Amino acid sequence: MDIRVAIFEDNLLLRESLYQLINGTAGLNCTGAFANCDDIIFNLKKITPQVVLMDIQMPGMNGVDAVKMIKENFPETKIIMQTVVEDETKIFASICNGASGYLLKNTTPFRLLQSIVEVHEGGAPMTPSIAQKVLEKFRINSPVSSKELDDLSHREKEILECLVEGMSYKMIASSCRISIDTVRHHIRNIYEKLHVGSKSEAVIKAMRGKIV
């Protein structure tokens, strides 16, 4: 079944280009493209996307606030932020609000399409320069207590490191030579031991605890 994608981009030319790119790709289906975030909840209820491409500089409600609203109403929806400028404050705010990926707008079409599939499968795709900023930011923050991380098994720590690197469940299964169901089982255990409810929270806690 095709992955349902929604686009929020105020630049008409770019919005139409993304729409055509996604709909012209096997396995993907763009169910809606919007110039602003007005009526975002109403619109998402109608088109039920699994992945959202969100421009961070949207008119009216900005992309950062839109992410928070989406995750509060549709917690299973994956969101990839798109931006022209590497604004650290907005990057971290987006991630804390629930964004699963962060790409610069000069990302190649191939990589963008690949990222949509990755985030749908549980990955956290990021432009390398942005990923580096995220790692540096959380590593210099005051580390959390390592007690919770110490409670993780060797395999759970290995899988958590894979999550920090942005790997999808399928990639983790291949790297660790285990089934995807086993990956899911370990991740559930990781969430329980770290007292978190999402991948983003687990990754942030891992980086603050200096597991990586």
Side-chain angles (χ1 to χ4, degrees), residues 2-211:
D2 291 349
I3 300 171
R4 301 186 303 279
V5 184
I7 301 166
F8 287 85
E9 168 60 59
D10 64 322
N11 183 296
L12 175 61
L13 183 60
L14 179 55
R15 186 170 68 251
E16 291 182 345
S17 296
L18 289 171
Y19 182 86
Q20 293 174 11
L21 174 67
I22 292 169
N23 274 340
T25 301
L28 301 180
N29 175 26
C30 185
T31 57
F34 306 92
N36 56 59
C37 295
D38 296 347
D39 301 318
I40 188 170
I41 301 305
F42 174 78
N43 288 326
L44 292 185
K45 282 182 178 178
K46 288 197 304 181
I47 63 175
T48 63
Q50 295 162 296
V51 177
V52 168
L53 293 182
M54 175 64 69
D55 178 15
I56 202 166
Q57 298 284 6
M58 294 293 284
M61 181 188 295
N62 63 48
V64 176
D65 292 336
V67 169
K68 184 175 182 180
M69 185 172 288
I70 292 171
K71 296 303 289 187
E72 286 175 350
N73 289 272
F74 311 99
E76 299 302 316
T77 301
K78 309 296 184 182
I79 306 169
I80 299 177
M81 306 301 292
Q82 290 192 289
T83 184
V84 175
V85 181
E86 297 179 27
D87 185 318
E88 291 187 12
T89 301
K90 291 180 179 178
I91 291 171
F92 305 132
S94 299
I95 292 172
C96 290
N97 281 355
S100 298
Y102 214 113
L103 302 176
L104 291 177
K105 287 190 177 180
N106 62 5
T107 298
T108 65
F110 174 80
R111 178 55 184 151
L112 175 62
L113 295 171
Q114 187 180 51
S115 296
I116 292 172
V117 176
E118 283 181 13
V119 79
H120 177 65
E121 293 178 345
M126 289 190 187
T127 298
S129 60
I130 290 178
Q132 185 62 36
K133 287 180 182 293
V134 171
L135 288 172
E136 289 174 356
K137 174 69 175 179
F138 287 116
R139 279 173 172 161
I140 64 176
N141 279 354
S142 299
V144 298
S145 169
S146 61
K147 183 179 183 305
E148 291 171 325
L149 296 176
D150 289 341
D151 289 339
L152 300 180
S153 68
H154 175 75
R155 175 65 88 182
E156 289 165 351
K157 288 181 179 178
E158 182 182 12
I159 290 174
L160 184 54
E161 289 177 6
C162 290
L163 288 177
V164 172
E165 292 173 8
M167 296 173 65
S168 68
Y169 289 9
K170 185 183 294 185
M171 294 167 67
I172 295 173
S174 175
S175 176
C176 298
R177 297 183 179 181
I178 55 179
S179 70
I180 292 180
D181 284 342
T182 301
V183 171
R184 292 194 178 100
H185 172 74
H186 283 306
I187 289 177
R188 283 195 296 269
N189 288 341
I190 290 170
Y191 287 1
E192 183 176 343
K193 290 181 180 180
L194 296 185
H195 302 98
V196 299
S198 71
K199 178 176 59 184
S200 297
E201 289 180 271
V203 168
I204 289 171
K205 210 158 196 179
M207 290 188 287
R208 284 181 172 170
K210 297 185 178 179
I211 192 173

